[in-house]
């Protein structure tokens, strides 16, 4: 596959699809839908091609030559601006074990979300055009290795998301869309500042030996590239690296979303149409934790090590707080939204451990949460489409009325509870194993195990309210799943069961990179903490 | 047939996965092919035959060696932290595993057979058999595993299967409630178990039982301290507290009676509740004296509480449920006092007679058209002779009457507690043990008398009652037969004279440091270590001999007393039971309402958690989101202010300057009259003024 720009293809294919759709007449709704479906299906195929050509032993993380499917060329070059020197920005794509699962996840979730979008009737053309634009933004974030490019993709995703919630959403869509947009933008501003600060603090040597400032993430990870007096340079005694780390972290934390920056999420989910919720929970939330692993950790390893207790603390708060708030919800979708907050807490906890098991668990949890929560939101969508209500108290006994649907519900719910044999278990277990092995955060880890209990509590309570008990007379005419819905649930369930039984399929991909990342962080830091 | 280790391992893998195959087949095709349930039943009998072969092979050819086979599940290769790491899963065939394998398969296959008729006509008939399949699969996984992670995996799967089966008739709210309760209460225990596993894994870098024990016996303690070893033992034991329904997590079990009765038999005899005892047996060798004492106390207390509740219950299944809790308490207590072999023995004997009792109660309920209240029964022995006979045999066994299996195992446990009392001074434990023996005999005979003896109290239902069909009574007969002593030992008063305890199951030696053991569990150093079998001190062995007959006589006497009182109260009616209950009303109510434990949990843990979660939701909605919305509001307000500023001040200045220049323009435009005369005059005057100032001349 050398030389073939497969990453560009998988990233920009949706844009091509968008252009095709823009040329299609408005009333050809089905052609628009099938075009989108074809594009996203092709993306899945490309992701599988990537996986099958993926070299499991190449680590990536900080070393350019062990990244895979690299595409790198000069993108922007401005010279002769006296005080700025030469501005050179690379178009730099590549994947390693941290991004490969995310690329696969993005492709799968986009495909499923397309199927789920089939019954969108309002301005179909606009919807699918924006949908595909969003797809490009998401994929780009996971393959970009240049901070500038990363930032562009990150912002690119915001715009379609804003309109997709704001136009196709529920009753309070404008409020939710604006809240989402401004909140995320608020985080992006911090990211932008840090990005510019890093740019002016580090240089990269060019082929001709001259040194230029750089956005190259891999160059920024190498601390010897920093200038002696750069504002974010470790060699500068008055550097602002700590503040920059916090600012960057907040930017990512909003996306995760981490307590206390999480309140945009329930609103966005409740108002967003089902497929957009699926994408939001399935992919977008992962960008926050991905960003931390890809950017914050390796660029600021020494600060990361100082802050692991706090990261773990917020992980624990997310787990417990999210679960407790979920327990009090009366809206099915809001409950799932809060359960997402809780489950993303495990990712934070695993990451905080800075161990191989913990970070492997965290990335696997990102993937698993993506598939499981996508399924949960689809489940909400199915019942909302039919009954036009999401009140947990409005239902009862649906298992009698919709047995096939309830079967999938059982799989998804128990996966969310962390039942062994389904994918959620192994990632949570690895997170706990990793986090428990560090003295500093052991107590936080033990408290976090309460999340297992609370998770079972709110999930089973919901399962009972909606699906068990006597059938509510109102719903005796609800049909069971149709073919289209069947196609959304089957692949997700298969992934959930497969990874539950054979997690190595995913772990083997990321293991080399995670080991390298852990080594990299620990070897870059001279000070050591207790517990290592 | 030549038995090799790999053959036994392969066979046991087949046995493990057969019920899962049945589950998958029935889930996917059960609706289309209605007769498919027979496939599941057939599979189970196949598994039974294979497991008997495995047991035979193991106990014949490899009686003193364990067979372990592992494979790598997850590899982290050279992980920097916590070091080189692989997660392995595997199968361990030791004597208790192969015996348990057979026990589980006997009971599961009989329950399958029984269910064909009992569940006949249910609208989710094939689904029911599918669930039985996954339940059996989960339990077999627990039995066969060689490591604690896999134990936990199957442990949770048992939780899932019990959820599905207890809530099988989920249209009933009570059934849905009960299944949820079972799962969540079990999860409480599982958290403890999980943390215990984390402690073990962190310290030993392995999940394998054998490797963990090896490292402990080499002197490696968790976090280097004996206290942590105790803690690890107690935490893992918490899992058993949940699954084996020990106080304070026993509350799920009586509610679990909402499931179909054959399921209750399965849960109470071979799967689920047995899992907890099995787990404690598995980790027995790493328990310190402190941990064992905790276990013994919890077991003894549980068996006492449950027995006191059972004596007033009026639902036939509830009585049996509490008796299960009580008997499980016995087993746990027995493990706690170090009588490992007797605990396991009781697990096996109890499995058969309790399964028989539950299936018997199912037969009664079936015959009485879903009547479960024993106050509406009576006289059924004439209508249900086979059910009566088998039920009676099992009742004799559970009451510890000689010639039954229960007598043997119970006697051993009581002797064990007596020895424990004598050697450690904890006399309360044998006291509970013997009290419960009397109570058990009393409430079980109360049950038998009220159900089968006397005159029928509900004529109508009695008249329509009839003996159950063959597939239902055949399992009863098999199980009742297995409750007779001869299957375990040829000598009906010496449990350890037979093959079961004499050859197959022996108490293993602790691996914990000597300082953390009970003194009596430290083997006596003899000059020639010929008696390698002796795992306890000689003092213990002597005391056991001393305790044998006193324990036996006391248990017979107390059992007899219980039976006698039951007859006095309910058969001969020498004492008016209603008047008696009236006199001791508070005590009676305390027992009838199960010590108000459910109510206590309702207002404390459950209520408080829900209140707290509501408060947090309010906090989230109003404070955290309030800050977000508030800051948005402040921003908007500030922007409005700056808008006003913009309009009135900034723009005001601009407008003012425009206005001012306009004003000037207006003023000065008056000068521009267009008349030449005026301009001339102005020019002349200007010139004069200029000349006046500049004075050029």
């Amino acid at each position: 596959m050398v030389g073939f720009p497969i990453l560009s293809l998988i990233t920009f294919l949706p844009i091509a699809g968008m252009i095709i759709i823009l040329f299609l007449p408005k009333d050809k709704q089905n052609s628009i839908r099938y075009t989108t479906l074809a594009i996203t299906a092709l993306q899945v195929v490309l992701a599988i091609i990537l996986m099958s050509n993926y070299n499991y032993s190449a680590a990536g993380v900080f070393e350019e030559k062990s990244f895979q499917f690299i595409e790198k060329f000069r993108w922007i070059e401005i010279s002769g601006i006296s005080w700025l020197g030469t501005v050179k920005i690379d178009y730099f794509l590549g994947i390693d074990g941290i991004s490969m699962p995310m690329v696969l996840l993005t492709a799968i979730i986009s495909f499923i979300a397309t199927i789920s979008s089939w019954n969108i009737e309002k301005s179909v053309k606009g919807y699918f055009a924006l949908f595909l634009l969003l797809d490009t933004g998401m994929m780009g974030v996971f393959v970009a290795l240049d901070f500038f490019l990363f930032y562009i993709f990150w912002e690119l995703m915001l715009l379609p998301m804003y309109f997709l919630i704001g136009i196709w959403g529920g009753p309070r869509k404008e409020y939710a869309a604006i809240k989402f947009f401004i909140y995320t933008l608020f985080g992006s501003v911090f990211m932008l500042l840090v990005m510019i600060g890093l740019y002016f603090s580090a240089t990269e040597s060019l082929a001709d030996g001259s040194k230029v400032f750089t956005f190259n993430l891999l160059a920024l990870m190498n601390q010897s590239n920093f200038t002696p007096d750069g504002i974010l340079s470790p060699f500068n005694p008055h550097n602002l690296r700590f503040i920059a780390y916090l600012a960057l972290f907040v930017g990512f934390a909003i996306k995760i979303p981490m307590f206390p920056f999480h309140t945009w999420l329930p609103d966005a989910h409740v108002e967003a149409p089902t497929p957009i919720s699926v994408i939001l929970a399935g992919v977008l939330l992962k960008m926050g934790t991905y960003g931390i692993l890809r950017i914050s950790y390796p660029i600021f390893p020494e600060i990361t090590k100082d802050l692991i207790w706090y990261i773990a603390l917020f992980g624990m708060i997310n787990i417990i707080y999210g679960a407790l708030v979920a327990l009090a919800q009366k809206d099915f979708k809001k409950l799932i939204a809060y359960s997402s907050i809780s489950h993303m807490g495990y990712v934070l906890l695993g990451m905080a451990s800075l161990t191989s098991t913990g970070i492997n668990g965290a990335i696997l949890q990102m993937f698993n949460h993506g598939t499981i929560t996508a399924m949960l939101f689809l489940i909400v969508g199915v019942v909302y489409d039919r009954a036009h209500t999401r009140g947990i108290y409005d239902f009862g006994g649906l298992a009698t009325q919709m047995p096939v649907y309830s079967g999938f519900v059982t799989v998804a719910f128990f996966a969310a509870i962390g039942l062994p044999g389904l994918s959620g278990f192994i990632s949570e277990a690895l997170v706990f194993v990793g986090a428990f092995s560090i003295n500093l955060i052991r107590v936080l880890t033990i408290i976090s195990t309460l999340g297992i209990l609370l998770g079972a509590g709110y999930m089973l309570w919901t399962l009972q309210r909606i699906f068990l008990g006597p059938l509510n007379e109102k719903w005796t005419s609800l049909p069971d799943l149709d073919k289209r819905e069947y196609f959304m649930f089957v692949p997700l369930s298969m992934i959930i069961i497969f990874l539950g039984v054979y997690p190595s399929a995913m772990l083997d991909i990321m293991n080399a990179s995670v080991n390298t990342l852990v080594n990299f962080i620990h070897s870059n830091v001279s000070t050591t903490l207790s517990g290592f | 047939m030549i038995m090799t280790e790999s053959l036994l391992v392969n066979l046991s893998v087949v046995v493990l996965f057969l019920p899962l195959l049945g589950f998958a087949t029935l889930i996917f095709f059960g609706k289309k092919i209605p007769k498919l349930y027979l496939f599941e039943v057939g599979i189970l009998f196949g598994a039974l035959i294979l497991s008997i072969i495995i047991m035979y092979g193991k106990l014949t050819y490899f009686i003193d060696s364990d067979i372990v086979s592992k494979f790598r599940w997850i590899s982290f290769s050279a992980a920097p932290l916590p070091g080189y790491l692989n997660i392995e899963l595997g199968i361990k065939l030791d004597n208790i595993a192969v015996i348990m394998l057979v026990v589980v398969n006997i009971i599961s296959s009989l329950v399958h057979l029984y269910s064909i008729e009992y569940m006949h006509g249910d609208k989710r008939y094939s689904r029911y058999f599918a669930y039985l399949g996954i339940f059996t699969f989960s339990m077999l996984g627990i039995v066969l595993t060689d490591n604690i992670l896999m134990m936990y995996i199957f442990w949770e799967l048992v939780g899932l299967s019990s959820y599905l089966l207890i809530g099988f008739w989920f249209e009933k709210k009570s059934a849905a409630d009960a299944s949820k309760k079972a799962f969540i209460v079990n999860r409480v225990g599982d958290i403890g178990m999980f943390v215990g596993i984390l402690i073990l894994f962190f310290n030993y870098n392995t999940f394998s039982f054998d490797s963990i024990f090896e490292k402990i016996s080499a002197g490696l303690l968790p976090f280097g301290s004996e206290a942590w070893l105790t803690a690890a033992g107690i935490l893992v034991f918490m899992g058993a507290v949940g699954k084996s329904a020990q106080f304070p997590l026993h509350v799920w079990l009586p509610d679990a009676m909402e499931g179909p009765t054959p399921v209750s038999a399965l849960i109470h005899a071979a799967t689920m509740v047995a899992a907890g005892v099995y787990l404690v047996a598995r980790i027995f060798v790493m328990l310190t004296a402190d941990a064992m004492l905790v276990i013994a106390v919890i077991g003894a207390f549980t068996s006492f509480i449950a027995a006191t509740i059972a004596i007033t219950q009026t639902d036939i299944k509830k009585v049996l449920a509490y008796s299960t809790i009580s008997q499980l308490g016995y087993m746990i207590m027995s493990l706690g006092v170090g009588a490992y072999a007797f605990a396991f023995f009781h697990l096996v004997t109890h499995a058969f007679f309790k399964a028989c009792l539950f299936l018997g109660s199912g037969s009664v309920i079936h015959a009485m058209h879903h009547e479960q209240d024993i106050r509406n029964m009576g006289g059924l022995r004439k209508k249900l002779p086979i059910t009566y006979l088998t039920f009676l045999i099992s009742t004799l066994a559970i009451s510890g009457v000689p010639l039954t299996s229960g007598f043997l195992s119970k006697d051993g446990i009581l002797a064990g507690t007596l020895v424990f009392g004598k050697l450690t001074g904890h006399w309360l434990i044998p006291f509970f043990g013997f009290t419960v023996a009397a109570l058990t005999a009393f409430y079980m005979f109360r049950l038998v008398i009220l159900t089968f003896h006397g005159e029928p109290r509900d004529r109508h239902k009695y008249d329509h009652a009839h003996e159950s069909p063959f597939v239902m009574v055949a399992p009863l007969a098999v199980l009742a037969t297995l409750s007779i002593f001869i299957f375990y030992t040829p000598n009906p008063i010496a449990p350890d004279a037979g093959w079961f305890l004499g050859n197959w199951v022996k108490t293993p030696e602790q691996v914990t440091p000597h300082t953390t053991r009970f003194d009596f569990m430290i083997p006596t150093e003899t000059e020639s270590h010929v008696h390698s079998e002796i795992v306890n001190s000689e003092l213990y062995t002597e005391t056991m001999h001393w305790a044998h007959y006193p324990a036996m006589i006391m248990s017979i006497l107390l059992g007899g007393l219980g039976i006698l009182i039951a007859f006095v109260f309910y058969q001969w009616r020498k004492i008016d039971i209603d008047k008696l209950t009236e006199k001791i009303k508070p005590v009676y109510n305390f027992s009838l309402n199960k010590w108000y434990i459910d109510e206590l949990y309702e207002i404390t843990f459950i209520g408080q958690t829900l209140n707290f979660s509501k408060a947090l939701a309010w906090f989230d909605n109003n404070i955290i989101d309030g800050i977000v919305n508030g800051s948005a509001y402040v921003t908007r307000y500030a922007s409005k202010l700056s808008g006003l500023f913009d309009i009135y001040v900034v723009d005001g200045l601009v407008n003012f300057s425009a206005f001012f220049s306009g004003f000037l323009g207006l003023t000065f435009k008056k000068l521009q009259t267009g008349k030449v005369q005026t301009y001339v005059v102005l020019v002349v005057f200007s010139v004069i003024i200029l000349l006046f100032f500049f004075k050029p001349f």
Side-chain angles (χ1 to χ4, degrees), chain B residues 384-418:
Chain B
L384 311 171
I386 303 172
T387 305
Y388 170 65
L389 186 66
T390 54
F391 203 90
L392 185 66
I393 292 172
S394 313
T395 304
L396 290 170
I398 198 174
S399 308
V401 173
L403 301 182
T404 62
S405 61
F407 169 74
L408 295 168
S409 52
K410 212 169 183 176
D411 173 51
I413 289 176
L414 290 173
T417 61
L418 204 57

Side-chain angles (χ1 to χ4, degrees), chain B residues 325-492:
Chain B
I325 300 177
S326 182
Q327 296 301 308
L328 288 165
Y330 253 42
M331 298 171 209
I332 295 287
M333 170 178 75
S334 175
L335 287 162
V337 300
Y340 167 97
F342 291 115
F344 185 74
F345 188 29
H346 196 57
L347 182 63
V348 173
T349 59
H350 174 260
F352 294 128
F353 60 69
K354 188 47 70 66
C356 183
L357 288 169
F358 264 108
L359 293 180
S361 78
S363 172
V364 170
I365 294 166
H366 193 67
M368 293 289 281
H369 299 279
H370 297 281
E371 175 62 75
Q372 293 185 204
D373 195 328
I374 50 177
R375 286 170 301 188
N376 299 330
M377 296 177 183
L380 284 172
R381 74 168 185 274
K382 288 175 214 122
K383 288 276 190 174
L384 311 171
I386 303 172
T387 305
Y388 170 65
L389 186 66
T390 54
F391 203 90
L392 185 66
I393 292 172
S394 313
T395 304
L396 290 170
I398 198 174
S399 308
V401 173
L403 301 182
T404 62
S405 61
F407 169 74
L408 295 168
S409 52
K410 212 169 183 176
D411 173 51
I413 289 176
L414 290 173
T417 61
L418 204 57
V419 173
F420 186 75
K422 186 162 169 22
L423 293 177
T424 64
H426 294 286
W427 284 104
L428 206 58
I429 288 169
F431 173 75
F432 275 136
F434 283 102
T435 313
V436 169
L439 288 171
T440 307
F442 169 72
Y443 67 70
M444 283 312 297
F445 270 87
R446 167 179 176 266
L447 184 65
V448 169
I449 294 164
L450 287 177
T451 310
F452 293 102
H453 294 194
E455 288 304 309
R457 286 178 288 278
D458 186 333
R459 249 307 151 190
H460 178 74
K461 282 194 171 138
Y462 176 82
D463 289 340
H464 288 82
H466 51 84
E467 182 60 287
S468 301
F470 176 74
V471 293
M472 280 172 72
V473 293
L476 294 179
V478 173
L479 291 166
T481 311
L482 286 169
S483 305
I484 293 166
F485 76 97
I486 194 67
F487 293 94
Y488 311 94
T489 169
N491 180 351

Side-chain angles (χ1 to χ4, degrees), chain B residues 511-682:
Chain B
V511 295
T512 51
H514 284 198
T515 46
T516 65
R517 297 189 200 172
F518 286 119
D519 290 338
F520 65 80
M521 299 196 78
I522 302 167
T524 312
E525 292 290 333
T526 48
E527 285 186 4
S528 60
H529 231 301
V530 268
H531 291 292
S532 57
E533 282 174 17
I534 296 177
V535 295
N536 295 318
S537 70
E538 277 178 6
L539 179 65
Y540 183 83
T541 322
E542 281 164 20
T543 320
M544 201 69 191
H545 280 298
W546 162 81
H548 184 61
Y549 286 106
M552 184 175 291
I553 291 160
M554 261 164 67
S555 92
I556 292 174
L557 285 179
L558 286 168
L561 182 69
I563 296 171
L564 185 70
I565 296 173
F567 270 89
V568 168
F569 277 0
Y570 299 100
Q571 178 82 25
W572 305 317
R573 303 216 170 252
K574 294 285 182 207
I575 296 170
D576 190 343
I577 195 71
D578 295 330
K579 270 191 192 150
L580 187 68
T581 52
E582 204 52 47
K583 261 188 206 156
I584 50 160
K585 196 83 186 163
V587 181
Y588 178 78
N589 278 344
F590 192 63
S591 160
L592 188 67
N593 289 299
K594 307 145 195 173
W595 292 38
Y596 298 100
I597 292 168
D598 271 320
E599 285 77 4
L600 183 72
Y601 290 171
E602 189 64 44
I603 49 176
T604 52
F605 302 115
I606 302 168
Q608 293 315 313
T609 307
L610 289 181
N611 284 342
F612 185 53
S613 93
K614 279 195 191 111
L616 272 189
W618 181 89
F619 173 78
D620 196 65
N621 219 356
N622 294 290
I623 307 294
I624 305 228
D625 208 27
I627 292 171
V628 175
N629 285 334
S631 60
Y633 178 77
V634 167
T635 314
R636 277 222 315 274
Y637 193 75
S639 74
K640 212 174 256 173
L641 272 186
S642 75
L644 290 177
F645 182 81
D646 200 52
I647 291 168
Y648 292 107
V649 181
V650 180
D651 209 28
L653 270 177
V654 174
N655 286 341
F656 177 75
S657 58
F659 171 78
F660 186 68
S661 32
F663 172 75
L664 285 182
L666 274 179
T667 315
F668 286 102
K669 88 173 177 197
K670 296 205 175 118
L671 292 175
Q672 292 192 331
T673 56
K675 291 180 184 160
V676 178
Q677 295 91 325
T678 321
Y679 293 156
V680 169
V681 170
L682 282 173

Side-chain angles (χ1 to χ4, degrees), chain B residues 115-168:
Chain B
S115 299
I116 292 176
E117 196 56 43
Y118 189 86
M119 296 300 286
H120 189 77
D122 194 276
K123 64 179 166 182
R124 285 188 291 270
Y125 194 61
S126 69
R127 183 63 63 90
Y128 171 82
F129 282 95
Y131 290 167
L132 285 187
I134 195 171
F135 208 160
T136 310
F137 164 70
S138 317
M139 187 62 203
L140 291 177
I142 288 179
V143 170
L144 289 172
T145 176
D146 84 311
N147 70 81
I148 198 160
L149 178 73
M150 194 165 140
M151 179 76 98
Y152 185 79
I153 289 173
F154 283 96
W155 193 263
E156 292 292 302
L157 286 178
V158 165
L160 168 76
S161 345
S162 67
Y163 178 82
L164 295 172
L165 277 170
I166 294 169
F168 185 71

